[in-house]
Protein backbone atom coordinates (compact mmCIF):
# COMPACT_ATOMS: atom_id res chain seq x y z
CA UNK A 1 0.00 0.00 0.00
CA UNK A 2 1.30 3.47 -0.93
CA UNK A 3 1.97 5.62 2.16
CA UNK A 4 0.94 8.97 0.54
CA UNK A 5 -2.10 10.90 1.77
CA UNK A 6 -3.91 14.00 0.52
CA UNK A 7 -2.23 16.10 3.21
CA UNK A 8 1.25 14.90 2.18
CA UNK A 9 0.56 15.53 -1.50
CA UNK A 10 -0.99 19.04 -1.10
CA UNK A 11 0.85 20.45 1.90
CA UNK A 12 4.54 20.07 1.07
CA UNK A 13 7.43 21.45 3.13
CA UNK A 14 8.47 25.03 2.35
CA UNK A 15 11.65 26.90 2.99
CA UNK A 16 11.54 28.78 6.32
CA UNK A 17 12.72 32.41 6.14
CA UNK A 18 13.67 34.24 9.35
CA UNK A 19 11.14 36.88 10.45
CA UNK A 20 12.20 40.48 9.94
CA UNK A 21 12.12 42.44 13.18
CA UNK A 22 10.97 46.05 13.01
CA UNK A 23 13.45 48.39 14.65
CA UNK A 24 11.65 51.01 16.73
CA UNK A 25 12.82 54.60 16.81
CA UNK A 26 14.91 55.51 19.87
CA UNK A 27 13.10 57.40 22.60
CA UNK A 28 14.10 61.09 22.88
CA UNK A 29 12.92 62.79 26.12
CA UNK A 30 11.37 66.27 25.83
CA UNK A 31 13.29 69.25 27.22
CA UNK A 32 10.15 71.27 28.18
CA UNK A 33 8.97 71.35 31.79
CA UNK A 34 5.53 69.99 32.72
CA UNK A 35 3.14 72.68 34.03
CA UNK A 36 1.29 70.19 36.36
CA UNK A 37 -1.98 72.17 35.99
CA UNK A 38 -5.32 70.32 36.04
CA UNK A 39 -8.83 71.29 35.03
CA UNK A 40 -9.88 71.35 38.65
CA UNK A 41 -7.17 73.91 39.59
CA UNK A 42 -8.01 76.17 36.61
CA UNK A 43 -11.83 76.18 36.89
CA UNK A 44 -12.51 75.71 40.60
CA UNK A 45 -10.80 78.69 42.23
CA UNK A 46 -11.21 79.39 45.96
CA UNK A 47 -13.72 82.11 46.90
CA UNK A 48 -14.03 84.04 50.15
CA UNK A 49 -16.52 82.22 52.40
CA UNK A 50 -18.86 84.27 54.57
CA UNK A 51 -21.35 83.08 57.15
CA UNK A 52 -24.94 82.81 55.92
CA UNK A 53 -27.79 83.77 58.20
CA UNK A 54 -30.07 80.84 59.03
CA UNK A 55 -33.40 80.78 57.22
CA UNK A 56 -35.69 79.92 60.11
CA UNK A 57 -39.36 80.67 60.68
CA UNK A 58 -40.48 83.25 63.16
CA UNK A 59 -39.78 82.17 66.70
CA UNK A 60 -43.10 81.28 68.26
CA UNK A 61 -41.81 79.56 71.37
CA UNK A 62 -42.88 82.40 73.65
CA UNK A 63 -46.69 82.22 73.78
CA UNK A 64 -48.94 84.87 75.19
CA UNK A 65 -49.32 84.79 78.95
CA UNK A 66 -53.05 85.69 78.85
CA UNK A 67 -55.43 82.82 79.54
CA UNK A 68 -57.62 81.80 76.60
CA UNK A 69 -61.29 81.52 77.41
CA UNK A 70 -63.21 79.58 74.79
CA UNK A 71 -66.02 77.11 74.52
CA UNK A 72 -65.43 74.12 72.14
CA UNK A 73 -68.01 73.13 69.56
CA UNK A 74 -68.51 69.71 71.14
CA UNK A 75 -69.60 71.17 74.50
CA UNK A 76 -71.81 73.80 72.87
CA UNK A 77 -73.63 71.52 70.39
CA UNK A 78 -73.68 68.08 72.02
CA UNK A 79 -75.72 68.61 75.18
CA UNK A 80 -77.33 65.75 77.19
CA UNK A 81 -81.06 65.24 76.67
CA UNK A 82 -83.43 64.89 79.58
CA UNK A 83 -85.35 61.87 78.34
CA UNK A 84 -86.62 58.88 80.28
CA UNK A 85 -84.96 55.54 79.75
CA UNK A 86 -86.61 53.32 77.18
CA UNK A 87 -87.39 49.72 77.94
CA UNK A 88 -85.40 47.04 76.16
CA UNK A 89 -87.11 45.37 73.18
CA UNK A 90 -86.18 41.77 73.83
CA UNK A 91 -88.28 38.74 72.92
CA UNK A 92 -89.83 36.80 75.76
CA UNK A 93 -88.36 33.44 76.65
CA UNK A 94 -91.02 30.74 76.06
CA UNK A 95 -88.75 27.70 75.94
CA UNK A 96 -89.50 25.02 78.51
CA UNK A 97 -87.45 21.82 78.63
CA UNK A 98 -89.36 18.51 78.30
CA UNK A 99 -90.18 16.65 81.48
CA UNK A 100 -89.74 13.17 79.92
CA UNK A 101 -86.39 11.43 79.89
CA UNK A 102 -84.33 11.66 76.69
CA UNK A 103 -83.94 8.26 75.04
CA UNK A 104 -80.66 9.23 73.25
CA UNK A 105 -81.69 7.55 69.99
CA UNK A 106 -81.15 9.13 66.58
CA UNK A 107 -82.97 8.77 63.26
CA UNK A 108 -80.00 6.89 61.84
CA UNK A 109 -80.18 4.31 64.63
CA UNK A 110 -83.90 3.75 64.07
CA UNK A 111 -83.88 3.56 60.25
CA UNK A 112 -80.52 1.93 59.49
CA UNK A 113 -80.05 -1.13 61.70
CA UNK A 114 -76.92 -3.23 61.34
CA UNK A 115 -77.34 -6.43 59.37
CA UNK A 116 -75.17 -9.49 59.50
CA UNK A 117 -72.50 -10.40 56.99
CA UNK A 118 -73.62 -12.27 53.85
CA UNK A 119 -71.37 -15.12 52.78
CA UNK A 120 -71.01 -15.38 49.01
CA UNK A 121 -69.87 -18.33 46.98
CA UNK A 122 -67.10 -17.81 44.41
CA UNK A 123 -67.98 -18.77 40.84
CA UNK A 124 -64.36 -18.79 39.72
CA UNK A 125 -63.29 -22.13 38.21
CA UNK A 126 -60.57 -23.98 40.11
CA UNK A 127 -57.04 -23.58 38.75
CA UNK A 128 -56.41 -26.88 36.92
CA UNK A 129 -53.09 -27.48 35.12
CA UNK A 130 -53.41 -27.86 31.36
CA UNK A 131 -51.41 -30.85 30.19
CA UNK A 132 -50.52 -31.31 26.54
CA UNK A 133 -48.70 -34.29 24.99
CA UNK A 134 -47.65 -32.45 21.78
CA UNK A 135 -43.92 -31.54 21.93
CA UNK A 136 -42.94 -27.88 21.44
CA UNK A 137 -41.55 -27.04 18.01
CA UNK A 138 -38.30 -25.14 18.51
CA UNK A 139 -37.45 -24.48 14.85
CA UNK A 140 -37.18 -20.80 13.84
CA UNK A 141 -36.43 -18.97 10.59
CA UNK A 142 -33.00 -18.05 11.95
CA UNK A 143 -32.06 -21.68 12.56
CA UNK A 144 -33.37 -22.78 9.18
CA UNK A 145 -32.02 -19.95 6.97
CA UNK A 146 -28.78 -18.92 8.72
CA UNK A 147 -25.60 -20.10 7.01
CA UNK A 148 -22.28 -19.80 8.86
CA UNK A 149 -19.43 -18.30 6.82
CA UNK A 150 -15.69 -18.54 7.66
CA UNK A 151 -14.28 -15.38 9.28
CA UNK A 152 -11.30 -13.82 7.52
CA UNK A 153 -8.27 -12.72 9.45
CA UNK A 154 -8.31 -9.00 10.31
CA UNK A 155 -5.71 -6.83 8.59
CA UNK A 156 -3.45 -4.99 11.04
CA UNK A 157 -1.43 -2.09 9.71
CA UNK A 158 2.12 -1.75 10.96
CA UNK A 159 3.05 1.53 12.68
CA UNK A 160 5.75 3.70 11.09
CA UNK A 161 9.02 4.08 12.87
CA UNK A 162 9.87 7.46 14.43
CA UNK A 163 12.47 9.47 12.52
CA UNK A 164 13.98 12.39 14.41
CA UNK A 165 14.36 15.74 12.63
CA UNK A 166 17.82 16.47 11.26
CA UNK A 167 17.46 20.30 11.57
CA UNK A 168 19.05 21.56 14.83
CA UNK A 169 16.79 23.36 17.34
CA UNK A 170 17.42 27.14 17.55
CA UNK A 171 15.93 27.58 21.05
CA UNK A 172 14.43 30.94 20.00
CA UNK A 173 10.89 32.04 20.92
CA UNK A 174 8.73 34.80 19.49
CA UNK A 175 9.21 36.86 22.65
CA UNK A 176 13.02 36.57 22.53
CA UNK A 177 13.11 37.35 18.85
CA UNK A 178 10.59 40.24 18.64
CA UNK A 179 10.67 41.94 22.04
CA UNK A 180 14.22 43.28 22.56
CA UNK A 181 14.87 45.36 25.67
CA UNK A 182 15.51 49.09 25.04
CA UNK A 183 18.26 50.94 26.88
CA UNK A 184 16.91 53.69 29.18
CA UNK A 185 17.14 55.26 32.59
CA UNK A 186 16.03 53.13 35.52
CA UNK A 187 12.60 53.95 36.97
CA UNK A 188 12.59 56.33 39.93
CA UNK A 189 10.81 55.23 43.07
CA UNK A 190 7.80 57.36 44.06
CA UNK A 191 7.65 55.92 47.54
CA UNK A 192 7.66 58.69 50.21
CA UNK A 193 10.56 58.92 52.59
CA UNK A 194 10.46 56.80 55.68
CA UNK A 195 10.69 59.86 57.99
CA UNK A 196 8.96 62.93 56.52
CA UNK A 197 10.19 66.41 57.31
CA UNK A 198 8.62 68.21 60.25
CA UNK A 199 7.80 65.05 62.19
CA UNK A 200 9.51 66.45 65.31
CA UNK A 201 7.20 69.49 65.40
CA UNK A 202 4.36 69.59 67.90
CA UNK A 203 1.03 68.17 66.70
CA UNK A 204 -1.47 70.90 65.85
CA UNK A 205 -4.87 70.20 67.38
CA UNK A 206 -6.71 72.66 65.14
CA UNK A 207 -8.47 71.21 62.11
CA UNK A 208 -10.40 72.69 59.22
CA UNK A 209 -13.68 71.52 60.79
CA UNK A 210 -12.84 73.24 64.10
CA UNK A 211 -11.82 76.48 62.39
CA UNK A 212 -14.79 76.89 60.00
CA UNK A 213 -17.67 75.16 61.78
CA UNK A 214 -18.03 77.06 65.06
CA UNK A 215 -20.84 76.40 67.51
CA UNK A 216 -23.83 78.72 67.10
CA UNK A 217 -25.53 80.27 70.13
CA UNK A 218 -28.73 78.27 70.56
CA UNK A 219 -31.68 79.94 72.30
CA UNK A 220 -33.16 78.35 75.34
CA UNK A 221 -35.97 75.93 74.56
CA UNK A 222 -39.26 76.97 76.12
CA UNK A 223 -40.85 74.13 78.02
CA UNK A 224 -44.42 74.36 79.25
CA UNK A 225 -44.86 73.16 82.85
CA UNK A 226 -47.16 70.16 83.13
CA UNK A 227 -50.61 70.62 84.58
CA UNK A 228 -50.89 69.31 88.13
CA UNK A 229 -53.17 66.31 88.51
CA UNK A 230 -56.24 67.01 90.64
CA UNK A 231 -58.03 63.83 91.77
CA UNK A 232 -61.84 63.92 91.43
CA UNK A 233 -63.83 64.43 94.61
CA UNK A 234 -66.73 62.20 93.51
CA UNK A 235 -66.67 58.49 94.11
CA UNK A 236 -66.07 56.34 91.00
CA UNK A 237 -68.98 54.18 89.85
CA UNK A 238 -67.55 50.75 89.08
CA UNK A 239 -70.68 49.46 87.34
CA UNK A 240 -70.38 48.46 83.67
CA UNK A 241 -73.04 48.87 80.99
CA UNK A 242 -73.98 45.20 81.23
CA UNK A 243 -74.35 45.36 85.00
CA UNK A 244 -76.39 48.54 84.86
CA UNK A 245 -78.85 47.63 82.04
CA UNK A 246 -79.06 43.81 82.04
CA UNK A 247 -80.34 43.09 85.54
CA UNK A 248 -82.29 40.00 86.57
CA UNK A 249 -84.28 40.82 89.73
CA UNK A 250 -86.03 37.45 89.73
CA UNK A 251 -83.43 35.45 87.83
CA UNK A 252 -81.97 32.10 88.73
CA UNK A 253 -79.04 30.13 87.33
CA UNK A 254 -79.87 28.01 84.30
CA UNK A 255 -80.44 24.32 84.92
CA UNK A 256 -78.67 21.75 82.78
CA UNK A 257 -80.87 19.73 80.39
CA UNK A 258 -78.32 16.95 80.14
CA UNK A 259 -79.52 13.61 81.62
CA UNK A 260 -77.75 12.42 84.70
CA UNK A 261 -75.48 9.47 84.01
CA UNK A 262 -76.30 6.56 86.28
CA UNK A 263 -73.29 5.37 88.20
CA UNK A 264 -73.03 1.65 88.78
CA UNK A 265 -70.99 0.78 91.79
CA UNK A 266 -70.91 -2.98 91.20
CA UNK A 267 -67.63 -4.81 91.14
CA UNK A 268 -68.50 -6.66 87.92
CA UNK A 269 -67.84 -4.75 84.64
CA UNK A 270 -70.94 -4.28 82.53
CA UNK A 271 -69.83 -4.96 78.96
CA UNK A 272 -73.21 -4.51 77.25
CA UNK A 273 -73.50 -1.50 74.92
CA UNK A 274 -76.30 -0.05 72.84
CA UNK A 275 -74.85 -1.53 69.68
CA UNK A 276 -74.60 -5.04 71.16
CA UNK A 277 -78.13 -4.92 72.55
CA UNK A 278 -79.89 -3.45 69.48
CA UNK A 279 -77.84 -4.73 66.54
CA UNK A 280 -78.11 -8.51 66.71
CA UNK A 281 -76.75 -10.73 63.98
CA UNK A 282 -79.48 -11.97 61.66
CA UNK A 283 -79.61 -15.41 60.04
CA UNK A 284 -79.35 -14.71 56.32
CA UNK A 285 -79.89 -16.98 53.34
CA UNK A 286 -78.33 -16.56 49.93
CA UNK A 287 -80.87 -15.62 47.27
CA UNK A 288 -80.79 -17.09 43.81
CA UNK A 289 -79.83 -15.18 40.66
CA UNK A 290 -82.78 -13.41 39.03
CA UNK A 291 -82.53 -14.08 35.28
CA UNK A 292 -84.93 -12.66 32.68
CA UNK A 293 -87.22 -15.06 30.81
CA UNK A 294 -86.18 -15.25 27.10
CA UNK A 295 -89.06 -14.08 24.84
CA UNK A 296 -87.14 -14.17 21.53
CA UNK A 297 -87.61 -17.19 19.29
CA UNK A 298 -84.66 -17.76 16.98
CA UNK A 299 -85.53 -18.66 13.33
CA UNK A 300 -84.63 -22.10 12.02
CA UNK A 301 -84.16 -21.03 8.36
CA UNK A 302 -80.71 -19.85 7.21
CA UNK A 303 -80.06 -16.12 6.66
CA UNK A 304 -80.42 -14.96 3.04
CA UNK A 305 -77.90 -12.07 3.56
CA UNK A 306 -80.11 -9.69 1.55
CA UNK A 307 -80.12 -6.08 2.82
CA UNK A 308 -82.87 -3.48 2.48
CA UNK A 309 -80.83 -1.49 -0.04
CA UNK A 310 -80.35 -4.51 -2.29
CA UNK A 311 -84.01 -5.50 -2.04
CA UNK A 312 -85.68 -2.08 -2.66
CA UNK A 313 -83.09 0.02 -4.53
CA UNK A 314 -83.02 -1.69 -7.92
CA UNK A 315 -81.09 0.16 -10.69
CA UNK A 316 -83.32 1.62 -13.44
CA UNK A 317 -82.39 2.99 -16.87
CA UNK A 318 -81.92 6.80 -16.89
CA UNK A 319 -84.85 8.90 -18.15
CA UNK A 320 -84.02 11.95 -20.28
CA UNK A 321 -86.02 15.00 -19.18
CA UNK A 322 -87.33 17.64 -21.54
CA UNK A 323 -85.90 21.19 -21.12
CA UNK A 324 -88.45 23.99 -20.64
CA UNK A 325 -85.93 26.76 -21.47
CA UNK A 326 -87.12 29.06 -24.31
CA UNK A 327 -85.14 28.86 -27.52
CA UNK A 328 -82.49 31.52 -28.26
CA UNK A 329 -83.67 34.03 -30.81
CA UNK A 330 -80.13 35.05 -31.85
CA UNK A 331 -78.07 38.18 -31.28
CA UNK A 332 -79.92 41.50 -31.08
CA UNK A 333 -79.46 44.32 -33.56
CA UNK A 334 -77.57 47.57 -32.97
CA UNK A 335 -80.51 49.42 -31.42
CA UNK A 336 -79.46 52.73 -29.81
CA UNK A 337 -80.04 53.06 -26.07
CA UNK A 338 -82.68 55.56 -25.02
CA UNK A 339 -80.77 58.39 -23.29
CA UNK A 340 -83.72 60.11 -21.62
CA UNK A 341 -83.66 60.03 -17.78
CA UNK A 342 -85.57 61.85 -15.07
CA UNK A 343 -82.54 64.07 -14.46
CA UNK A 344 -82.22 65.17 -18.10
CA UNK A 345 -85.98 65.87 -18.41
CA UNK A 346 -86.60 67.63 -15.05
CA UNK A 347 -83.26 69.45 -14.43
CA UNK A 348 -83.27 73.15 -15.24
CA UNK A 349 -79.85 74.83 -15.32
CA UNK A 350 -79.53 77.92 -13.16
CA UNK A 351 -76.99 80.68 -13.12
CA UNK A 352 -74.30 80.36 -10.45
CA UNK A 353 -74.17 83.56 -8.39
CA UNK A 354 -71.73 84.70 -5.76
CA UNK A 355 -72.84 84.51 -2.15
CA UNK A 356 -73.61 87.88 -0.60
CA UNK A 357 -71.84 86.90 2.64
CA UNK A 358 -68.49 86.80 0.80
CA UNK A 359 -68.51 90.57 0.22
CA UNK A 360 -67.12 92.95 2.85
CA UNK A 361 -70.23 95.08 2.19
CA UNK A 362 -73.10 93.27 0.38
CA UNK A 363 -74.14 95.14 -2.79
CA UNK A 364 -77.73 96.45 -2.67
CA UNK A 365 -77.76 96.57 1.16
CA UNK A 366 -76.81 99.26 3.64
CA UNK A 367 -75.51 98.60 7.16
CA UNK A 368 -78.02 99.55 9.86
CA UNK A 369 -76.97 98.28 13.32
CA UNK A 370 -75.53 95.41 15.39
CA UNK A 371 -78.11 93.51 17.44
CA UNK A 372 -77.70 92.20 21.01
CA UNK A 373 -76.33 88.82 19.80
CA UNK A 374 -73.57 90.51 17.79
CA UNK A 375 -75.08 90.06 14.28
CA UNK A 376 -74.62 92.83 11.72
CA UNK A 377 -78.05 93.89 10.41
CA UNK A 378 -78.37 95.12 6.79
CA UNK A 379 -81.33 96.83 5.02
CA UNK A 380 -82.06 96.60 1.29
CA UNK A 381 -81.80 99.84 -0.58
CA UNK A 382 -85.06 99.30 -2.56
CA UNK A 383 -87.14 98.22 0.49
CA UNK A 384 -87.18 100.58 3.42
CA UNK A 385 -88.92 98.32 5.98
CA UNK A 386 -87.17 94.98 5.27
CA UNK A 387 -84.06 93.99 7.25
CA UNK A 388 -81.36 91.42 6.47
CA UNK A 389 -79.01 89.69 8.94
CA UNK A 390 -75.65 88.19 8.11
CA UNK A 391 -76.87 84.87 9.58
CA UNK A 392 -79.84 84.85 7.16
CA UNK A 393 -77.75 85.08 3.99
CA UNK A 394 -77.65 82.35 1.39
CA UNK A 395 -74.40 80.76 2.60
CA UNK A 396 -74.03 81.07 6.40
CA UNK A 397 -70.83 79.01 6.46
CA UNK A 398 -68.81 81.80 4.88
CA UNK A 399 -66.72 83.59 7.51
CA UNK A 400 -65.64 86.51 5.46
CA UNK A 401 -68.08 88.79 7.32
CA UNK A 402 -67.57 88.93 11.09
CA UNK A 403 -70.62 87.75 13.00
CA UNK A 404 -69.66 89.63 16.16
CA UNK A 405 -67.81 92.93 16.41
Amino acid sequence: MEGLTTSRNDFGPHKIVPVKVHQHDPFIPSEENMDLLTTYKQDYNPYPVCRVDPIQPRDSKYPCSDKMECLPTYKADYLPWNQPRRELLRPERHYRPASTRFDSRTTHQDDYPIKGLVRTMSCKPPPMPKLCNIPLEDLTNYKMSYVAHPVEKRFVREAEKFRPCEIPFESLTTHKESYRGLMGEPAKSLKPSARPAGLDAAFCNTTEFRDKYQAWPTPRVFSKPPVAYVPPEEKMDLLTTVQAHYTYPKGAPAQSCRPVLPLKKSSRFEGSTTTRDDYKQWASMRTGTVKPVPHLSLPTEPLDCLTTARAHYVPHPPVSTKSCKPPWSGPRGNTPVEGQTTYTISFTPKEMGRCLASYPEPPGYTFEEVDALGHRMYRPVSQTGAQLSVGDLENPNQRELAVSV
Side-chain angles (χ1 to χ4, degrees), residues 308-321:
T308 309
R310 292 182 180 180
H312 296 278
Y313 294 94
V314 182
H316 298 281
V319 180
S320 59
T321 57

PDB file of all heavy atoms in Angstrom, residues 308-321:
ATOM      1  N   THR A 308     -81.744  -4.302   2.945  1.00  0.00           N
ATOM      2  CA  THR A 308     -82.873  -3.477   2.477  1.00  0.00           C
ATOM      3  C   THR A 308     -82.499  -2.700   1.236  1.00  0.00           C
ATOM      4  O   THR A 308     -83.316  -2.499   0.329  1.00  0.00           O
ATOM      5  CB  THR A 308     -83.297  -2.520   3.595  1.00  0.00           C
ATOM      6  OG1 THR A 308     -83.482  -3.263   4.795  1.00  0.00           O
ATOM      7  CG2 THR A 308     -84.591  -1.804   3.263  1.00  0.00           C
ATOM      8  N   ALA A 309     -81.252  -2.240   1.143  1.00  0.00           N
ATOM      9  CA  ALA A 309     -80.835  -1.486  -0.035  1.00  0.00           C
ATOM     10  C   ALA A 309     -80.833  -2.361  -1.284  1.00  0.00           C
ATOM     11  O   ALA A 309     -81.257  -1.939  -2.369  1.00  0.00           O
ATOM     12  CB  ALA A 309     -79.447  -0.890   0.193  1.00  0.00           C
ATOM     13  N   ARG A 310     -80.354  -3.624  -1.133  1.00  0.00           N
ATOM     14  CA  ARG A 310     -80.345  -4.513  -2.289  1.00  0.00           C
ATOM     15  C   ARG A 310     -81.755  -4.933  -2.703  1.00  0.00           C
ATOM     16  O   ARG A 310     -82.025  -5.139  -3.887  1.00  0.00           O
ATOM     17  CB  ARG A 310     -79.522  -5.754  -1.969  1.00  0.00           C
ATOM     18  CG  ARG A 310     -78.032  -5.471  -1.816  1.00  0.00           C
ATOM     19  CD  ARG A 310     -77.278  -6.773  -1.534  1.00  0.00           C
ATOM     20  NE  ARG A 310     -75.848  -6.512  -1.383  1.00  0.00           N
ATOM     21  CZ  ARG A 310     -74.951  -7.471  -1.139  1.00  0.00           C
ATOM     22  NH1 ARG A 310     -75.364  -8.747  -1.007  1.00  0.00           N
ATOM     23  NH2 ARG A 310     -73.686  -7.170  -1.024  1.00  0.00           N
ATOM     24  N   ALA A 311     -82.667  -5.039  -1.721  1.00  0.00           N
ATOM     25  CA  ALA A 311     -84.011  -5.496  -2.043  1.00  0.00           C
ATOM     26  C   ALA A 311     -84.867  -4.400  -2.654  1.00  0.00           C
ATOM     27  O   ALA A 311     -85.665  -4.659  -3.563  1.00  0.00           O
ATOM     28  CB  ALA A 311     -84.675  -6.040  -0.776  1.00  0.00           C
ATOM     29  N   HIS A 312     -84.773  -3.153  -2.228  1.00  0.00           N
ATOM     30  CA  HIS A 312     -85.676  -2.078  -2.662  1.00  0.00           C
ATOM     31  C   HIS A 312     -85.050  -1.161  -3.697  1.00  0.00           C
ATOM     32  O   HIS A 312     -85.747  -0.650  -4.568  1.00  0.00           O
ATOM     33  CB  HIS A 312     -86.119  -1.252  -1.446  1.00  0.00           C
ATOM     34  CG  HIS A 312     -86.941  -2.034  -0.458  1.00  0.00           C
ATOM     35  ND1 HIS A 312     -88.293  -2.260  -0.611  1.00  0.00           N
ATOM     36  CD2 HIS A 312     -86.582  -2.667   0.694  1.00  0.00           C
ATOM     37  CE1 HIS A 312     -88.761  -2.985   0.411  1.00  0.00           C
ATOM     38  NE2 HIS A 312     -87.708  -3.244   1.215  1.00  0.00           N
ATOM     39  N   TYR A 313     -83.731  -0.907  -3.598  1.00  0.00           N
ATOM     40  CA  TYR A 313     -83.094   0.022  -4.526  1.00  0.00           C
ATOM     41  C   TYR A 313     -82.537  -0.768  -5.710  1.00  0.00           C
ATOM     42  O   TYR A 313     -81.382  -1.193  -5.720  1.00  0.00           O
ATOM     43  CB  TYR A 313     -81.993   0.815  -3.825  1.00  0.00           C
ATOM     44  CG  TYR A 313     -82.538   1.720  -2.763  1.00  0.00           C
ATOM     45  CD1 TYR A 313     -82.599   1.299  -1.428  1.00  0.00           C
ATOM     46  CD2 TYR A 313     -83.034   2.984  -3.069  1.00  0.00           C
ATOM     47  CE1 TYR A 313     -83.134   2.106  -0.449  1.00  0.00           C
ATOM     48  CE2 TYR A 313     -83.562   3.803  -2.086  1.00  0.00           C
ATOM     49  CZ  TYR A 313     -83.612   3.360  -0.787  1.00  0.00           C
ATOM     50  OH  TYR A 313     -84.132   4.165   0.187  1.00  0.00           O
ATOM     51  N   VAL A 314     -83.403  -0.969  -6.708  1.00  0.00           N
ATOM     52  CA  VAL A 314     -83.023  -1.695  -7.924  1.00  0.00           C
ATOM     53  C   VAL A 314     -82.610  -0.666  -8.963  1.00  0.00           C
ATOM     54  O   VAL A 314     -83.305   0.337  -9.166  1.00  0.00           O
ATOM     55  CB  VAL A 314     -84.202  -2.552  -8.444  1.00  0.00           C
ATOM     56  CG1 VAL A 314     -83.789  -3.352  -9.677  1.00  0.00           C
ATOM     57  CG2 VAL A 314     -84.695  -3.486  -7.337  1.00  0.00           C
ATOM     58  N   PRO A 315     -81.497  -0.823  -9.659  1.00  0.00           N
ATOM     59  CA  PRO A 315     -81.095   0.161 -10.688  1.00  0.00           C
ATOM     60  C   PRO A 315     -82.076   0.172 -11.859  1.00  0.00           C
ATOM     61  O   PRO A 315     -82.544  -0.865 -12.314  1.00  0.00           O
ATOM     62  CB  PRO A 315     -79.704  -0.324 -11.097  1.00  0.00           C
ATOM     63  CG  PRO A 315     -79.655  -1.760 -10.734  1.00  0.00           C
ATOM     64  CD  PRO A 315     -80.496  -1.932  -9.509  1.00  0.00           C
ATOM     65  N   HIS A 316     -82.405   1.400 -12.300  1.00  0.00           N
ATOM     66  CA  HIS A 316     -83.317   1.618 -13.435  1.00  0.00           C
ATOM     67  C   HIS A 316     -82.573   2.362 -14.526  1.00  0.00           C
ATOM     68  O   HIS A 316     -81.610   3.095 -14.258  1.00  0.00           O
ATOM     69  CB  HIS A 316     -84.541   2.424 -12.991  1.00  0.00           C
ATOM     70  CG  HIS A 316     -85.372   1.721 -11.946  1.00  0.00           C
ATOM     71  ND1 HIS A 316     -86.270   0.718 -12.237  1.00  0.00           N
ATOM     72  CD2 HIS A 316     -85.416   1.881 -10.582  1.00  0.00           C
ATOM     73  CE1 HIS A 316     -86.859   0.284 -11.126  1.00  0.00           C
ATOM     74  NE2 HIS A 316     -86.342   0.983 -10.092  1.00  0.00           N
ATOM     75  N   PRO A 317     -83.039   2.233 -15.769  1.00  0.00           N
ATOM     76  CA  PRO A 317     -82.386   2.988 -16.865  1.00  0.00           C
ATOM     77  C   PRO A 317     -82.669   4.476 -16.711  1.00  0.00           C
ATOM     78  O   PRO A 317     -83.734   4.882 -16.256  1.00  0.00           O
ATOM     79  CB  PRO A 317     -83.033   2.405 -18.126  1.00  0.00           C
ATOM     80  CG  PRO A 317     -84.321   1.832 -17.674  1.00  0.00           C
ATOM     81  CD  PRO A 317     -84.103   1.327 -16.275  1.00  0.00           C
ATOM     82  N   PRO A 318     -81.710   5.352 -17.044  1.00  0.00           N
ATOM     83  CA  PRO A 318     -81.924   6.800 -16.892  1.00  0.00           C
ATOM     84  C   PRO A 318     -82.992   7.322 -17.849  1.00  0.00           C
ATOM     85  O   PRO A 318     -83.125   6.848 -18.968  1.00  0.00           O
ATOM     86  CB  PRO A 318     -80.543   7.391 -17.202  1.00  0.00           C
ATOM     87  CG  PRO A 318     -79.886   6.380 -18.068  1.00  0.00           C
ATOM     88  CD  PRO A 318     -80.376   5.037 -17.610  1.00  0.00           C
ATOM     89  N   VAL A 319     -83.773   8.290 -17.381  1.00  0.00           N
ATOM     90  CA  VAL A 319     -84.852   8.898 -18.147  1.00  0.00           C
ATOM     91  C   VAL A 319     -84.412  10.295 -18.529  1.00  0.00           C
ATOM     92  O   VAL A 319     -84.053  11.098 -17.659  1.00  0.00           O
ATOM     93  CB  VAL A 319     -86.161   8.934 -17.339  1.00  0.00           C
ATOM     94  CG1 VAL A 319     -87.278   9.569 -18.173  1.00  0.00           C
ATOM     95  CG2 VAL A 319     -86.554   7.521 -16.916  1.00  0.00           C
ATOM     96  N   SER A 320     -84.415  10.617 -19.809  1.00  0.00           N
ATOM     97  CA  SER A 320     -84.023  11.945 -20.277  1.00  0.00           C
ATOM     98  C   SER A 320     -85.201  12.894 -20.101  1.00  0.00           C
ATOM     99  O   SER A 320     -86.310  12.621 -20.556  1.00  0.00           O
ATOM    100  CB  SER A 320     -83.601  11.879 -21.741  1.00  0.00           C
ATOM    101  OG  SER A 320     -84.679  11.396 -22.536  1.00  0.00           O
ATOM    102  N   THR A 321     -84.963  14.011 -19.432  1.00  0.00           N
ATOM    103  CA  THR A 321     -86.015  15.002 -19.180  1.00  0.00           C
ATOM    104  C   THR A 321     -86.003  16.055 -20.274  1.00  0.00           C
ATOM    105  O   THR A 321     -84.962  16.368 -20.861  1.00  0.00           O
ATOM    106  CB  THR A 321     -85.802  15.664 -17.821  1.00  0.00           C
ATOM    107  OG1 THR A 321     -84.507  16.247 -17.786  1.00  0.00           O
ATOM    108  CG2 THR A 321     -85.903  14.634 -16.705  1.00  0.00           C
TER     109      THR A 321
END
